[in-house]
């Protein structure tokens, strides 16, 4: 049997860094539902779905501060806790990878020199829960969550991933569905790709000057050279 790595060109980038929610995982509906439930639980009233969608990708404290600019620190903390409780214990909206993700990651992993990482607004506990639920933690060589470092769009989580994996910014690619993902890459001079099947519009992604915008994960894999 032919080794898969022998029939693929060398990786376009040494390191590909993926956002999680809206890029790899189709979790928008559940996140929006849980944000709306948290708002009601803490007495902040009804939260419009479009507002909830817009902050997907930020760390939870930063998201709550943006959604509820007049809220006190205690209210923001209560919102975060209500969101976490609803996400873990109450909401049962199914979560799955977007089409093409599992096969695409498998193809990237066929190259022993290809490095993969995650940079997400989720908490460490939340990402680890996803890794365990979907048996995918070993897909990635490193990961950073918003509670380990600064939230997007600050580029610190990317800087930390580059340092951990000994990769230069020009050797890495950030893939995400929001301007928060693409802006933190641009701050480092790192290339990026925007995906349109997530939460931010094409004009918002285009404003961040990505190398490419794709509408399907398979299109990203084709561009990276990871196709069958």
């Amino acid at each position: 049997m032919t080794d898969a790595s022998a029939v693929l060109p060398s990786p376009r980038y040494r390191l590909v860094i993926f956002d999680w929610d809206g890029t790899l995982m189709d979790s928008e509906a559940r996140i929006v539902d849980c944000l709306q439930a948290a708002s009601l639980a803490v007495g902040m009233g009804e939260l419009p779905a479009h507002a909830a969608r817009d902050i997907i990708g930020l760390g939870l404290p930063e998201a709550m501060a943006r959604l509820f600019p007049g809220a006190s620190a205690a209210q923001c903390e209560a919102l975060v806790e209500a969101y976490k409780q609803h996400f873990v214990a109450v909401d049962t909206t199914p979560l799955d990878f977007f089409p093409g993700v599992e096969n695409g990651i498998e193809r990237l992993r066929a190259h022993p020199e290809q490095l993969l990482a995650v940079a997400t607004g989720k908490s460490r506990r939340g990402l680890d829960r996803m890794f365990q639920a979907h048996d995918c933690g070993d897909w990635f060589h490193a990961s950073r969550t918003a509670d380990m470092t600064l939230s997007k769009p600050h580029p610190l989580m990317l800087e930390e991933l580059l340092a951990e994996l000994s990769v230069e910014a020009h050797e890495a690619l950030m893939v995400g569905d929001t301007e928060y993902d693409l802006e933190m890459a641009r701050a480092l001079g790192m290339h990026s790709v925007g995906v349109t099947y997530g939460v931010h519009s094409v004009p918002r992604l285009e404003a961040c000057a990505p190398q490419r915008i794709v509408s399907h994960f398979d299109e990203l894999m084709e561009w990276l050279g990871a196709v069958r």
Side-chain angles (χ1 to χ4, degrees):
M1 183 178 294
T2 302
D3 184 352
S5 65
V7 298
L8 291 174
S10 296
R12 183 184 285 261
Y13 296 90
R14 284 187 60 205
L15 170 62
V16 181
I17 306 170
F18 295 99
D19 168 56
W20 188 263
D21 295 305
T23 300
L24 297 181
M25 182 67 65
D26 187 3
S27 48
E28 175 191 328
R30 185 162 171 180
I31 291 173
V32 169
D33 287 348
C34 292
L35 286 169
Q36 291 177 317
S39 180
L40 291 174
V42 179
M44 303 299 286
E46 294 187 3
L47 177 66
H50 69 85
R53 291 179 72 251
D54 189 65
I55 56 77
I56 293 176
L58 298 177
L60 273 177
E62 292 77 14
M64 296 309 184
R66 183 172 296 198
L67 286 171
F68 307 99
S72 67
Q75 286 174 316
C76 284
E77 184 177 350
L79 284 162
V80 168
E81 291 307 311
Y83 172 88
K84 290 179 178 178
Q85 180 179 6
H86 201 81
F87 194 95
V88 174
V90 180
D91 198 299
T92 59
T93 304
L95 295 180
D96 206 351
F97 294 110
F98 284 105
V101 166
E102 291 174 277
N103 287 337
I105 295 292
E106 180 183 359
R107 295 296 291 172
L108 289 175
R109 293 178 66 219
H111 280 299
E113 68 271 29
Q114 177 71 77
L115 298 173
L116 303 175
V118 171
T120 177
K122 302 185 82 64
S123 68
R124 179 76 264 170
R125 185 176 179 181
L127 183 61
D128 287 344
R129 187 182 298 113
M130 292 295 102
F131 283 171
Q132 182 176 9
H134 297 274
D135 192 25
C136 62
D138 63 350
W139 290 2
F140 307 102
H141 298 85
S143 58
R144 282 296 184 280
T145 60
D147 59 341
M148 297 173 67
T149 181
L150 296 181
S151 173
K152 304 172 186 179
H154 195 285
L156 183 58
M157 66 171 64
L158 294 186
E159 292 176 321
E160 292 177 352
L161 287 169
L162 293 174
E164 179 178 343
L165 298 172
S166 300
V167 175
E168 299 295 328
H170 70 272
E171 301 175 300
L173 177 74
M174 177 70 210
V175 182
D177 69 308
T178 70
E179 63 185 31
Y180 315 128
D181 302 309
L182 308 191
E183 280 297 333
M184 66 175 183
R186 183 159 68 165
L188 297 182
M190 181 187 296
H191 285 184
S192 66
V193 169
V195 303
T196 65
Y197 52 78
V199 298
H200 281 182
S201 66
V202 171
R204 291 179 71 173
L205 299 176
E206 288 178 336
C208 302
Q211 270 52 52
R212 194 172 184 89
I213 293 179
V214 300
S215 59
H216 194 284
F217 203 82
D218 288 346
E219 187 180 348
L220 171 65
M221 292 301 101
E222 182 177 0
W223 183 69
L224 288 174
V227 293
R228 293 192 183 278

